[in-house]
Amino acid sequence: MPSTAAGTAHTDGPTAERTRPGTPGRAAPAQASDIAPRGYAKGRAKRDEILEAAMRLFGEVGYHSASLREISSRVGISHPGLLHHFPTKSGLLQAVLEHRDEVDLAVFYADLEEGGDYFESLIRLVERNAARPGIIELYCILSAEATSPEHPAHEFFQHRYDEVLARSRRELAQRAAEGRLRPGTDIPSTARALIALMDGLQVQFLLERGGARPPVDMAAGLRSYVALVLADDGTTARATAPGPEAHQV
């Protein structure tokens, strides 16, 4: 799965944020007061600091090798102090993933609300992630670990993959109905290939980073693939019938 937020964020578990209906992955505001008390604001700032430190450490060594004591040391608090904010390591992981997706979702949906094309919005998100290699590290390491059903983030990544795949199928099916796909395009296979391409580009980006060769341009690679799939402006093309799988959610 790509480190993009093209679907809805999964919010289960003890640290999940409440979400505003109709706004996937965005935390609902506190109900008690429009202005948070000083103590709450200070606690929230420390919580965000912990999330940033955990995100960096998970990206460096993965979930299993990361320790809560190392994270608490990085933010300058005691181990019990960290447990006050996040009682379990798996809960902290869930909060990190939701926090990261919440930021990306806000930007991605803002692009769409301004009339942006779905695939062009994906490309812009990939461009932004290229400037944040720590985000890509986090995604690549955790998504690989989470292929194990026992991993605490397994359900999160499975849900995320399903959402991105379903959304890509719907977008491709819409373009097929409008005659805007290349002839013979198979929608289910193309949607999966799109996700596989983004995943592979991220791995190549990390492998080539800091090497003698020019850095991998992930956005250019994605844009080239999309151009191969979408019909040129002014042309009419009939894609392979999408079938029921293309419309699955």
Side-chain angles (χ1 to χ4, degrees):
M1 293 166 290
S3 61
T4 57
T8 59
H10 189 50
T11 51
D12 285 335
T15 61
E17 298 282 349
R18 288 175 298 151
T19 54
R20 183 182 300 113
T23 311
R26 300 182 188 176
Q31 299 297 316
S33 173
D34 291 335
I35 302 176
R38 182 183 299 273
Y40 177 85
K42 183 178 179 180
R44 182 72 185 188
K46 179 57 68 175
R47 183 181 187 276
D48 290 344
E49 187 180 353
I50 294 170
L51 288 175
E52 291 296 324
M55 183 178 71
R56 288 193 296 271
L57 186 59
F58 288 151
E60 291 169 10
V61 302
Y63 172 78
H64 293 298
S65 297
S67 74
L68 294 182
R69 293 188 184 276
E70 172 63 22
I71 295 170
S72 63
S73 175
R74 292 189 178 196
V75 297
I77 62 175
S78 66
H79 183 234
L82 185 146
L83 295 178
H84 171 74
H85 294 277
F86 299 100
T88 66
K89 185 180 176 182
S90 61
L92 176 57
L93 173 63
Q94 181 78 18
V96 165
L97 294 171
E98 290 170 0
H99 174 70
R100 207 226 64 179
D101 261 6
E102 182 181 336
V103 173
D104 281 350
L105 276 168
V107 177
F108 182 80
Y109 281 116
D111 281 347
L112 295 181
E113 289 167 4
E114 292 174 2
D117 176 79
Y118 172 78
F119 295 105
E120 189 57 39
S121 295
L122 272 185
I123 292 168
R124 284 196 291 270
L125 186 56
V126 169
E127 288 176 330
R128 288 189 290 269
N129 283 341
R132 303 180 295 168
I135 295 293
I136 300 176
E137 285 180 329
L138 174 75
Y139 171 81
C140 286
I141 290 179
L142 292 181
S143 62
E145 288 184 344
T147 56
S148 168
E150 289 74 33
H151 194 281
H154 178 79
E155 185 180 356
F156 178 94
F157 279 101
Q158 183 64 64
H159 177 86
R160 195 172 191 273
Y161 177 84
D162 291 342
E163 288 286 341
V164 176
L165 185 60
R167 178 64 185 267
S168 296
R169 286 171 177 163
R170 291 196 299 270
E171 295 289 339
L172 290 167
Q174 178 180 337
R175 281 156 180 75
E178 297 169 351
R180 296 167 57 203
L181 287 189
R182 298 284 182 183
T185 299
D186 180 80
I187 289 175
S189 298
T190 300
R192 289 189 182 277
L194 179 71
I195 297 171
L197 173 68
M198 290 190 283
D199 282 347
L201 285 171
Q202 290 182 141
V203 173
Q204 293 178 45
F205 174 83
L206 293 176
L207 288 173
E208 297 287 348
R209 187 177 41 154
R213 289 179 287 190
V216 174
D217 190 335
M218 298 184 293
L222 179 57
R223 184 175 284 109
S224 295
Y225 179 75
V226 170
L228 293 174
V229 174
L230 300 184
D232 293 331
D233 292 341
T235 65
T236 300
R238 181 178 297 277
T240 300
E245 185 182 9
H247 301 283
Q248 290 176 356
V249 177

